[in-house]
Amino acid sequence: MRPLVATVDLAALRHNHALAKGCAPGARAFAVVKANAYGHGVREVVTALHDDADGFAVACLEEAAEVRALHQSARILLLEGCFEPLEYQVAAHLGLDVAVQGGEQAEALLAAELERPLRLWLKLDSGMHRLGFSAPDLRDWHARLQGARQVAELNLMSHFACADEQGHPLTAQQLESFLSLADLPFAARSLANSAAILSLPQAHLDWLRPGIMLYGASPFAGRDATALGLQPAMSLTAQLIAIREVPAGETVGYGAAWRAGRPARIGTVSCGYADGYPRNAPAGTPLAIRGRRVPLAGRVSMDMLTVDLSELPKARPGDPVELWGAGLPVDEVARACGTIGYELLTRVTARVPRRYRF
């Protein structure tokens, strides 16, 4: 069996969920499990949070159906709403909460024949300019939808663009825009993503939407997840499968992009970009062997990558290699690759087996 595994710590996941809820006593939370629970396995994550989560949030109807099969009573929020008119019938059958983010979706809803009315979340474009109604349009649609036979409940939501950049002026503007609708009667309001849960108590309101923090990564570029009290949920572990001595001046890997400036000890690791490790990871990106950081050397291949073991003479073939996890935060690897932890976690492919610790 190829020595590469993603180990998911479900106790860490439950810890992170409790931490999110503890930031806003009295608020409920939609645990965000879109994209196969950020690559961690939606079936296992929903099962782990079955008795703790108030609800779950997903991106599309297919994901919602999978979650509903795992949890018959939880609130399930369809974050992007229905993409086709007929999807409202399925959403009603599944008993979903549904975002409505524009006039076309709202018109399709009012034309739908549903077996039961839906809990709706009108989405305000408070400044991200991706999805949502303008404030004047939202007021108009609130009036039109209130009392409609397809509507069981009207709620309000929006999404921050820069809450992960503390002090960014757009965050205050978005909060002000959201609160400007306080005169409208809504059953509940939701605004806080992971970054806002951890740093913006005035945005907590009725429902939280913890995403990346559930999985133990930091939503902030400059703040360590451990310092925030989060525990990493995934460890990606491979193995040293070969070691060779490379003379000074010789190159390693495709494109001969890395050259040994001195005699080097090069280790080959059983992980590559087909597994989800970023192909664009630059030389020097950290990996961990025997509790020590070692730098990536050369380009990442489809199934393998190479590391410089010159400062780790005790390393041997068969040693485990941590790509990220408890000893090497995914955020640190992501920074070295010029990306964010979200991307690394969600891109771990299906060819990598998941193992679960309870």
Side-chain angles (χ1 to χ4, degrees):
M1 182 176 178
R2 186 162 174 257
L4 177 65
V5 64
T7 302
V8 178
D9 185 343
L10 297 173
L13 184 92
R14 288 190 290 269
H15 165 87
N16 297 333
H17 179 267
L19 190 150
K21 291 291 296 289
C23 288
R28 290 180 286 178
F30 287 111
V32 182
V33 294
K34 62 183 179 178
N36 194 30
Y38 288 49
H40 292 68
V42 67
R43 177 176 297 276
E44 291 78 10
V45 168
V46 170
T47 301
L49 295 178
H50 187 282
D51 297 331
D52 301 322
D54 304 299
F56 300 93
V58 297
C60 60
L61 202 58
E62 294 84 355
E63 292 178 344
E66 188 172 8
V67 175
R68 177 58 77 215
L70 298 166
H71 202 307
Q72 296 301 306
S73 59
R75 299 272 292 264
I76 302 172
L77 173 59
L78 198 58
L79 287 167
E80 297 173 29
C82 292
F83 299 120
E84 299 177 8
L86 288 177
E87 290 191 352
Y88 282 110
Q89 296 177 13
V90 181
H93 178 72
L94 294 173
L96 305 183
D97 286 45
V98 178
V100 176
Q101 49 85 10
E104 289 185 359
Q105 284 188 343
E107 294 283 8
L109 171 71
L110 289 177
E113 295 294 333
L114 306 179
E115 65 180 75
R116 55 179 162 174
L118 291 164
R119 288 185 292 259
L120 300 185
W121 290 82
L122 297 185
K123 187 160 191 176
L124 171 69
D125 180 3
S126 58
M128 190 169 187
H129 302 320
R130 187 177 62 178
L131 295 175
F133 297 96
S134 67
D137 285 348
L138 193 141
R139 287 183 176 277
D140 291 343
W141 276 107
H142 181 277
R144 290 184 62 181
L145 292 169
Q146 198 172 31
R149 57 185 169 79
Q150 296 90 348
V151 179
E153 183 178 287
L154 278 178
N155 304 286
L156 178 65
M157 66 182 295
S158 191
H159 192 63
F160 282 118
C162 302
D164 56 326
E165 302 177 37
Q166 292 183 285
H168 197 290
L170 181 56
T171 300
Q173 294 171 28
Q174 288 192 262
L175 181 60
E176 182 180 1
S177 177
F178 193 86
L179 295 179
S180 73
L181 299 173
D183 61 298
L184 292 179
F186 286 106
R189 291 170 169 80
S190 178
L191 183 57
N193 57 2
S194 291
I197 291 169
L198 292 166
S199 67
L200 203 64
Q202 59 268 47
H204 288 167
L205 306 174
D206 303 301
W207 281 85
L208 312 172
R209 301 196 307 272
I212 193 64
M213 69 179 297
L214 286 181
Y215 307 101
S218 172
F220 306 108
R223 297 177 66 184
D224 181 77
T226 303
L228 294 168
L230 300 170
Q231 298 176 2
M234 180 192 288
S235 294
L236 183 62
T237 309
Q239 191 179 95
L240 273 178
I241 59 174
I243 297 176
R244 66 196 59 250
E245 305 295 332
V246 174
E250 290 292 301
T251 61
V252 173
Y254 284 120
W258 187 90
R259 188 178 300 275
R262 60 177 180 176
R265 192 165 183 256
I266 299 297
T268 302
V269 178
S270 56
C271 181
Y273 62 76
D275 304 300
Y277 196 85
R279 182 179 180 274
N280 67 333
T285 298
L287 297 88
I289 301 175
R290 295 183 173 228
R292 290 183 56 184
R293 303 285 198 275
V294 295
L296 183 71
R299 292 181 184 169
V300 176
S301 304
M302 182 178 285
D303 309 299
M304 293 173 281
L305 54 82
T306 45
V307 295
D308 186 354
L309 300 174
S310 301
E311 301 299 322
L312 194 61
K314 292 185 178 180
R316 297 289 182 270
D319 281 351
V321 180
E322 188 174 64
L323 288 304
W324 60 72
L328 177 60
V330 68
D331 300 311
E332 182 180 342
V333 181
R335 282 194 297 272
C337 297
T339 185
I340 54 177
Y342 300 67
E343 183 180 3
L344 297 191
L345 293 172
T346 57
R347 70 190 297 172
V348 176
T349 63
R351 80 192 298 233
V352 180
R354 270 70 166 172
R355 294 177 183 165
Y356 293 89
R357 292 206 305 261
F358 296 88

